Amino acid sequence: MPLHLTIPQLAGLTVLALASVAWLIGMNRMLRRIRSREAALPGLAAPAAPVAPVVLAVPEVAEVLPRPEEAFPHREAVELTPAEKDAFAGLVRQLDGGR
């Protein structure tokens, strides 16, 4: 037992490992069952003619994403007076603990 792991961590790792092994065994059995059915019915294994791929129309990225000026509201700025700047600096010092 590794010393740097707690008991719940080891239990979780064990459960995860067991679930992974069970999933692998289940997938292996399922694939074997599918393959055995395909071998028993050779006419159903592959289609008679190749199927044409379906091509979907994908819009351009520029059409999907909004322009930067449309995505955010207009940025506003207000010039502060010297008294407001001093008050803001005092507030920052107060919230910063006097540093």
Side-chain angles (χ1 to χ4, degrees):
M1 179 168 101
L3 297 176
H4 64 280
L5 293 177
T6 64
I7 291 176
Q9 287 175 332
L10 285 173
L13 184 62
T14 304
V15 168
L16 184 61
L18 290 174
S20 298
V21 169
W23 181 81
L24 286 172
I25 291 172
M27 289 299 292
N28 190 10
R29 287 184 178 184
M30 184 182 71
L31 290 174
R32 283 186 179 195
R33 191 176 309 130
I34 290 171
R35 288 182 189 144
S36 67
R37 287 181 186 165
E38 287 178 355
L41 303 170
L44 298 178
V51 178
V54 176
V55 179
L56 300 176
V58 179
E60 293 293 325
V61 174
E63 296 173 6
V64 176
L65 297 176
R67 293 187 177 132
E69 60 268 8
E70 296 173 0
F72 301 105
H74 178 67
R75 182 179 246 176
E76 296 180 7
V78 176
E79 195 65 35
L80 297 177
T81 64
E84 291 172 331
K85 288 181 182 179
D86 291 340
F88 185 72
L91 178 63
V92 169
R93 279 193 299 273
Q94 181 183 358
L95 293 175
D96 196 27
R99 289 189 240 165

